[in-house]
Amino acid sequence: MVQLTVDGVECRYGSIKILENVSLTVKEGDFLGILGPNGSGKTTLLKSISRTLKPHKGSILLDKNDIYSLKSIELAKHLAVVPQENVIGFSFTALDIVLMGRNPHMTRFQMENEKDMAIVRKAMDRTNTWQFAYRPINELSGGEKQRVVIARALAQEPKVLLLDEPLTHLDMINQLEVMDLVKELCAKEGLIVLAVIHDLNLAARYCTTALLLKSGKVFSAGSLEEVLTSENIKSVFKVDAIVKKSLVTNSLYVIPLSPQKPMRPKTAPSTS
């Protein structure tokens, strides 16, 4: 059984500490939502796991292997990343982009074979991107590009998928389709997913567990019922919220309450 373990990780940018003593364990089929306000260290955590930012302290293990000891091509066979921003400088077609997901499984100068093309076609069908397979990537909308990048990650056939705000640029129907797909991959294929999500209601509906960060530290971790409480939301986001269970989806949902502005004392009108 595949397992990802983050143990006592501390990350810094120069002398500035961003993450402190962060630990978590996820196994096959887990869909972990990484939650927290802006600047709490969510993206930095994913960067440390994807080897973009080496931790100052602590370790990150994929099964029993330190990910920083693995060759890049070996890690890419097991771990895929959908970053927050995707800058593609050349006008590759959408199909070209998704085919890049097969690179870790091919030797140098090797051409794609029928198996590779079948995997790519399946990834594009799942993300509803085959319809513009031969269109230049830079002619697609932001949401269409995002779905192509997700298809590329799926084409890697990873065991672990890191999603950094994967719903950016996506409209409502595409948000639901992507989240439905990811949850299905977790449930049916044992994919491990760690996703930075700002929408607490989508996290509550789709994730199996959650990690709540505050100022670079783990404030709460565990089941959604343990993490998404009115008290935790108030402490971390500084917002009063009502947390209930939906009779339709059978998942928690969060109703944030607008902060009450202090009443200004009424002053008597001037008589001068």
Side-chain angles (χ1 to χ4, degrees):
M1 178 177 287
V2 178
Q3 182 170 292
L4 178 72
T5 304
V6 177
D7 185 18
V9 161
E10 178 182 308
C11 289
R12 302 180 177 220
Y13 291 116
S15 61
I16 301 174
K17 188 184 297 183
I18 306 298
L19 288 179
E20 182 178 352
N21 194 31
V22 173
S23 297
L24 63 92
T25 299
V26 282
K27 60 185 185 303
E28 285 184 11
D30 283 347
F31 188 169
L32 174 69
I34 302 174
L35 315 175
N38 293 337
S40 59
K42 302 183 298 297
T43 294
T44 300
L45 176 57
L46 289 195
K47 285 182 176 180
S48 68
I49 298 171
S50 64
R51 299 206 318 189
T52 304
L53 179 66
K54 188 171 184 178
H56 186 72
K57 293 180 182 178
S59 63
I60 302 172
L61 305 178
L62 184 57
D63 291 333
K64 296 182 180 180
N65 300 308
D66 189 318
I67 64 167
Y68 284 87
S69 69
L70 297 174
K71 293 182 179 180
S72 296
I73 193 167
E74 285 302 314
L75 182 64
K77 290 178 181 178
H78 300 284
L79 186 147
V81 184
V82 176
Q84 192 174 120
E85 297 292 337
N86 295 285
V87 180
I88 302 172
F90 296 95
S91 195
F92 295 106
T93 65
L95 178 58
D96 290 333
I97 296 297
V98 182
L99 279 168
M100 293 176 187
R102 298 304 301 157
N103 288 347
H105 302 276
M106 298 161 58
T107 59
R108 194 175 183 185
F109 303 123
Q110 180 183 347
M111 296 296 292
E112 302 86 3
N113 57 30
E114 289 185 8
K115 178 184 176 182
D116 295 315
M117 291 303 301
I119 291 169
V120 165
R121 177 62 190 260
K122 183 178 181 180
M124 297 188 78
D125 283 340
R126 281 176 152 178
T127 53
N128 196 25
T129 53
W130 183 255
Q131 59 185 305
F132 36 78
Y134 297 99
R135 286 179 57 190
I137 190 71
N138 292 325
E139 291 183 6
L140 302 181
S141 70
E144 290 168 341
K145 286 180 184 177
Q146 185 78 341
R147 283 155 51 203
V148 169
V149 173
I150 293 171
R152 179 180 65 186
L154 296 181
Q156 285 179 234
E157 295 187 300
K159 299 296 183 184
V160 180
L161 179 61
L162 306 181
L163 303 172
D164 192 0
E165 298 184 35
L167 307 180
T168 303
H169 307 302
L170 297 183
D171 57 23
M172 188 180 298
I173 182 62
N174 282 302
Q175 287 184 6
L176 295 174
E177 286 179 351
V178 166
M179 295 295 277
D180 283 335
L181 171 59
V182 172
K183 188 166 185 175
E184 179 184 352
L185 291 171
C186 291
K188 294 184 177 180
E189 300 183 16
L191 183 66
I192 295 172
V193 176
L194 293 85
V196 171
I197 302 174
H198 277 293
D199 189 324
L200 298 184
N201 285 313
L202 282 175
R205 180 171 173 177
Y206 288 99
C207 297
T208 57
T209 56
L211 180 80
L212 183 59
L213 294 175
K214 179 182 180 181
S215 302
K217 299 179 182 179
V218 176
F219 185 84
S220 180
S223 68
L224 294 164
E225 288 76 11
E226 292 171 321
V227 175
L228 287 180
T229 66
S230 298
E231 294 77 15
N232 286 349
I233 293 170
K234 175 67 173 179
S235 297
V236 173
F237 294 95
K238 309 301 182 187
V239 172
D240 289 312
I242 299 171
V243 180
K244 292 189 174 183
K245 198 157 197 175
S246 170
L247 297 177
V248 178
T249 64
N250 199 36
S251 60
L252 297 178
Y253 68 95
V254 178
I255 305 173
L257 304 177
S258 298
Q260 296 295 318
K261 295 182 179 179
M263 296 291 292
R264 293 183 179 180
K266 294 182 179 180
T267 57
S270 174
T271 57
S272 59

